[in-house]
Amino acid sequence: MAEIGKGVTAGKLAINVQKRLTRAQEKVLQKLGKADETRDAAFEEMVANFNKQMAEGTKLQKDLKAYVTAVKTLHDASRRLQDCLADMYEPEWFGKEEMDTLVEDTDTLWLDYHQNITDKSLGCMDTYLTQFPDIKARIAKRDRKMVDFDSARHHFSSLQKGKKKDEAKIAKAEEDLGRAQKIFEELNVELQDELPALWDSRVGVYVNTFQSLAGHQEKFHKEMSKLSQNLNDIMTKLEEQRQLKKGGTAAATTGDGAKSDEANHSESASSAPKSSVTNGSDGDLPPGFLYKVKAIHDYTATDGDELELKMGDVVLVLAFDNPDEQDDGWLMGLQESQWSQKKDISAKGVFPENFTQKI
């Protein structure tokens, strides 16, 4: 109970206690059927809608918060994974700078996504739900004032029907009735205007919340798809770099074996290329052969050392004589058809790797 002297007087306490007792007595009489109760079916339906709306909004807010928390958890996991990859990525590997940039861009994308859904979608629901506590309190107050109005109405009626009429008491009861009725009706009218409007507003709130969420999701996944493709491209180039280095080493070893074989058998220079092929199954392949690719686009040579491509051409990829001369994204090769017909290694040339597909 509030302490007397701190904003609450003994008189006010007594009045509040008396009001509670009167309301309790009125409720008992109404339940026993000894007193009429003011009923408003339309208003009761509004209150039922209000309670449903508040429960649904609260649940949606809770689930949105859980979703935002999950996004934050995924962001943290993604950042740790990306940082791990960046730390392991050695400087001489293909695309080191691109990898570092990709890690930063991925982290920024997650940060923006988390911030946007927090500010827009979750913020919209937070603002929407702030109005419910006040309206809920006024509905409860309206219910109390309705009981006061019923009690004053019954008291006034009983005095009028009494055998001994006390005009002073009747006048006082009528005044109390008018005051109780006025307070109740003011609250009742306000809520009857606000509750339907609040009920209708839920659709707009849900539309704004989920449109905003869907928009940010679409943007996030679109940008993340691009970053994932970039990562896949870097990994593909790294593997090709490894294969080229592996092939270059193998070609050098084959060349050394050919020279040794030539010295031991004193064969002529014209037979040297043939003597370098030690495996009968590789007799149809040029020296330094790595793998085959197929042209998926036409390419018109713009320089004398370039190889012209037509879509569908099969090219034998060769190791560079000097690996330092290889530019990123370019391969050395020879048309398979030309090699099969003429066995002319001098017809080799460079071509863009992204115009072909490994087979």
Side-chain angles (χ1 to χ4, degrees):
M1 183 179 292
E3 185 178 347
I4 298 175
K6 291 188 177 181
V8 181
T9 64
K12 287 184 178 180
L13 283 174
I15 292 172
N16 289 336
V17 171
Q18 184 58 45
K19 281 184 178 180
R20 291 175 183 173
L21 288 173
T22 301
R23 289 167 185 160
Q25 290 172 355
E26 184 66 20
K27 284 290 186 182
V28 171
L29 291 174
Q30 289 175 351
K31 289 181 179 180
L32 294 174
K34 295 183 179 181
D36 295 333
E37 180 181 1
T38 300
R39 301 297 299 269
D40 187 338
F43 187 82
E44 290 173 2
E45 183 179 355
M46 293 178 195
V47 173
N49 288 339
F50 170 81
N51 291 330
K52 178 176 182 291
Q53 183 179 4
M54 182 169 62
E56 290 176 347
T58 302
K59 183 178 183 304
L60 178 56
Q61 181 192 45
K62 179 181 177 182
D63 290 341
L64 272 174
K65 286 182 178 179
Y67 177 80
V68 170
T69 300
V71 169
K72 181 64 167 61
T73 301
L74 279 172
H75 174 203
D76 292 340
S78 172
R79 180 168 51 205
R80 289 193 295 270
L81 184 62
Q82 296 281 341
D83 287 345
C84 179
L85 177 59
D87 291 342
M88 294 188 302
Y89 213 87
E90 297 181 8
E92 66 272 14
W93 290 359
F94 175 86
K96 171 60 176 173
E97 292 183 2
E98 289 85 345
M99 176 59 68
D100 292 340
T101 301
L102 186 143
V103 169
E104 293 178 5
D105 291 345
T106 301
D107 186 56
T108 300
L109 183 60
W110 274 107
L111 282 171
D112 290 344
Y113 179 52
H114 179 267
Q115 192 62 47
N116 284 331
I117 61 175
T118 300
D119 293 344
K120 305 295 173 57
S121 298
L122 185 57
C124 178
M125 284 305 303
D126 290 343
T127 301
Y128 168 65
L129 288 175
T130 56
Q131 56 193 325
F132 283 86
D134 174 67
I135 296 178
K136 183 179 179 181
R138 287 195 287 135
I139 290 174
K141 183 177 181 180
R142 181 257 185 199
D143 290 344
R144 294 193 300 272
K145 296 305 178 183
M146 183 177 68
V147 176
D148 291 345
F149 170 56
D150 286 342
S151 178
R153 181 163 55 85
H154 298 151
H155 179 59
F156 175 68
S157 178
S158 65
L159 288 178
Q160 284 187 319
K161 294 176 181 179
K163 293 181 179 179
K164 294 182 180 180
K165 290 183 171 33
D166 187 331
E167 296 300 329
K169 288 184 177 180
I170 292 175
K172 178 67 168 54
E174 184 176 14
E175 182 182 344
D176 291 343
L177 174 60
R179 183 165 48 250
Q181 182 177 5
K182 180 181 178 182
I183 294 174
F184 166 70
E185 288 181 348
E186 286 178 352
L187 280 171
N188 194 50
V189 169
E190 288 178 1
L191 290 170
Q192 284 182 340
D193 289 339
E194 292 180 31
L195 289 176
L198 179 63
W199 175 249
D200 290 339
S201 72
R202 74 194 192 286
V203 176
V205 171
Y206 298 158
V207 168
N208 291 336
T209 299
F210 282 96
Q211 276 189 339
S212 175
L213 180 61
H216 291 305
Q217 284 178 332
E218 181 183 15
K219 180 181 178 182
F220 171 78
H221 290 300
K222 183 178 180 180
E223 295 299 321
M224 184 59 73
S225 177
K226 294 179 182 178
L227 292 174
S228 297
Q229 183 59 53
N230 291 343
L231 177 59
N232 184 61
D233 291 344
I234 292 173
M235 294 295 101
T236 300
K237 297 289 187 182
L238 178 60
E239 173 61 17
E240 291 174 356
Q241 181 188 53
R242 185 180 73 89
Q243 292 290 348
L244 286 173
K245 286 184 178 180
K246 183 179 178 182
T249 303
T253 302
T254 302
D256 291 341
K259 291 179 181 179
S260 175
D261 188 56
E262 181 183 359
N264 290 336
H265 297 282
S266 301
E267 292 185 4
S268 63
S270 61
S271 63
K274 292 182 180 180
S275 66
S276 68
V277 179
T278 60
N279 189 326
S281 63
D282 293 337
D284 290 336
L285 299 176
F289 169 76
L290 301 177
Y291 53 87
K292 296 182 182 182
V293 295
K294 186 176 183 178
I296 56 176
H297 302 288
D298 292 346
Y299 176 71
T300 302
T302 59
D303 205 345
D305 65 342
E306 294 182 0
L307 189 67
E308 187 146 329
L309 301 175
K310 295 293 184 183
M311 189 170 66
D313 285 350
V314 176
V315 181
L316 306 177
V317 178
L318 309 175
F320 278 78
D321 295 333
N322 182 0
D324 293 335
E325 294 178 356
Q326 182 178 5
D327 294 326
D328 288 341
W330 288 79
L331 299 176
M332 174 70 73
L334 177 68
Q335 293 278 5
E336 183 182 49
S337 59
Q338 191 164 11
W339 172 255
S340 299
Q341 295 172 8
K342 300 181 180 180
K343 296 294 189 295
D344 183 9
I345 193 68
S346 66
K348 66 182 179 180
V350 296
F351 59 92
E353 181 181 7
N354 58 0
F355 277 63
T356 63
Q357 185 177 38
K358 192 173 180 180
I359 57 176

